[in-house]
């Protein structure tokens, strides 16, 4: 059942030439965990999509339309990942956007990513930096070349993720996840007002932990009592090692994973998928 997709009103295999997301990255995307044919956090994904579209002045397909196509793609009531890409349509060649152009969009179905090894993730520091751009900060926009370059820095299968800093040197995120660190009983997470993505799982963890949103130096990660990554598809991912720093399993991370399993049925069978 993997590999099925829907674009606009017609099933095709490639984005049409007037999709500005293809030419310029002029669009947004959502990657969502599906459980028994539905997206338990659909309201949160839709709210983020709408907020991003308002900032980019981008038209969206209606929620009802997206929900109908999602139901069709997962008509077996199966589990998996749904990826929605919405790009500005029209305008032809050139940067000037046609603000009234209807969106060109794609919804596709995919299997879960491979589960990490038991015991926690092994991380490294990335050399590629995230540019400081407040106009795009927080958005899950289609310009992801920084993450592509960062993820291309290693091919060691024992390393599962890399942490990224901004061009000013503060820690922002992993290549495909948000970051939380624990010092004593206090959680904190990097601010995303200058770059980075406002993750839906990040938002849930903020509501559960009251974590402080801070400018985070690399030393604050390396000296933490516990570190975790999170995203809406894989949930809460404990970190076992960052470079030479080893982190022992921490009960606070396990407790948050249990809370997530109660809040999101897709993680009830195991939060590390």
């Amino acid at each position: 059942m993997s590999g099925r997709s829907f674009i606009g009103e017609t099933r095709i295999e490639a984005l049409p030439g007037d999709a500005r997301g293809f030419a310029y990255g002029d669009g947004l995307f959502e990657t969502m965990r599906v459980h028994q044919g539905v997206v338990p956090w659909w309201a949160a994904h839709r709210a983020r999509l709408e907020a991003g579209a308002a900032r980019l002045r981008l038209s969206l397909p209606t929620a009802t339309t997206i929900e109908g196509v999602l139901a069709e793609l997962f008509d077996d009531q199966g589990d998996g990942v749904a990826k929605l890409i919405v790009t500005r349509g029209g305008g032809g060649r050139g940067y000037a956007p046609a603000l009234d152009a209807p969106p060109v969009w794609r919804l596709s179905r995919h299997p879960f990513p491979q589960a990490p090894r038991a015991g926690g993730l092994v991380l490294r520091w990335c050399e590629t930096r995230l540019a400081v751009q407040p106009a795009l900060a927080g958005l899950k926009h289609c310009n992801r070349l920084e993450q592509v370059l960062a993820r291309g820095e290693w091919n060691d299968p024992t390393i599962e993720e890399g942490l990224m800093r901004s061009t000013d040197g503060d820690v922002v995120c992993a290549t495909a996840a948000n970051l939380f660190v624990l010092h004593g009983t206090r959680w904190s997470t990097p601010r995303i007002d200058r770059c980075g993505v406002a993750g839906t799982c990040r938002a849930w963890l903020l509501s559960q932990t009251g974590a402080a949103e801070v400018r985070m130096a690399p030393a604050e990660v390396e000296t933490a009592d516990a570190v975790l990554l999170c995203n809406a598809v894989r949930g809460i991912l404990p970190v076992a090692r960052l470079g030479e720093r080893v982190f022992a399993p921490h009960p606070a991370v396990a407790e948050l994973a249990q809370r997530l399993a109660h809040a999101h049925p897709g993680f009830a069978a195991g939060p590390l998928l």
Side-chain angles (χ1 to χ4, degrees):
M1 297 299 294
S2 63
R4 298 167 62 190
S5 64
F6 183 89
I7 304 176
E9 294 300 324
T10 307
R11 280 179 174 72
I12 55 179
E13 294 304 318
L15 291 172
D18 62 350
R20 287 173 56 89
F22 182 75
Y24 307 120
D26 186 5
L28 301 164
F29 70 101
E30 294 288 331
T31 310
M32 303 168 283
R33 188 173 180 120
V34 180
H35 175 66
Q36 296 182 0
V38 300
V39 179
W41 280 355
W42 167 238
H45 285 287
R46 178 70 188 184
R48 180 174 63 179
L49 185 68
E50 289 176 346
R55 285 171 60 184
L56 295 182
R57 294 184 291 174
L58 175 69
S59 298
L60 294 176
T62 67
T64 301
T65 301
I66 296 171
E67 290 162 7
V69 175
L70 181 67
E72 184 179 347
L73 285 177
F74 287 85
D75 56 6
D76 61 345
Q77 285 74 56
D79 298 340
V81 178
K83 183 167 184 177
L84 172 65
I85 303 173
V86 182
T87 174
R88 197 188 316 272
R93 198 181 69 81
Y95 291 136
L99 299 181
D100 59 349
V104 176
W105 57 284
R106 171 176 177 165
L107 185 63
S108 53
R109 175 175 177 167
H110 308 272
F112 287 129
Q114 182 178 356
R117 290 180 302 276
L121 300 181
V122 176
L123 310 184
R124 72 187 298 272
W125 289 106
C126 296
E127 295 299 323
T128 304
R129 302 294 182 95
L130 291 166
V132 172
Q133 175 48 274
L136 297 176
L139 299 184
K140 202 170 178 71
H141 57 74
C142 291
N143 292 274
R144 294 291 141 197
L145 281 177
E146 293 164 324
Q147 286 80 3
V148 170
L149 289 174
R151 186 56 189 87
E153 290 179 13
W154 79 93
N155 58 12
D156 182 345
T158 67
I159 298 175
E160 288 128 324
E161 252 288 14
L163 296 184
M164 300 187 70
R165 293 156 285 184
S166 75
T167 50
D168 286 344
D170 53 299
V171 184
V172 181
C173 58
T175 65
N178 289 115
L179 168 73
F180 283 74
V181 303
L182 181 68
H183 288 269
T185 61
R186 184 61 171 164
W187 286 100
S188 58
T189 190
R191 295 179 65 181
I192 52 168
D193 58 327
R194 302 191 303 169
C195 53
V197 174
T200 52
C201 195
R202 177 185 185 272
W204 181 85
L205 274 170
L206 282 170
S207 74
Q208 298 297 303
T209 63
E213 298 180 79
V214 300
R215 296 268 183 263
M216 189 176 292
E220 294 176 70
V221 183
E222 293 172 336
T223 60
D225 297 311
V227 176
L228 67 81
L229 302 184
C230 68
N231 68 28
V233 169
R234 304 184 80 188
I236 291 172
L237 298 160
V239 172
R241 182 160 65 85
L242 171 60
E244 298 302 315
R245 174 70 163 92
V246 175
F247 300 93
H250 199 288
V253 177
E255 193 269 336
L256 285 172
Q258 290 176 352
R259 276 199 244 172
L260 178 61
H262 287 295
H264 189 306
F267 294 109
L272 298 185
L273 279 173

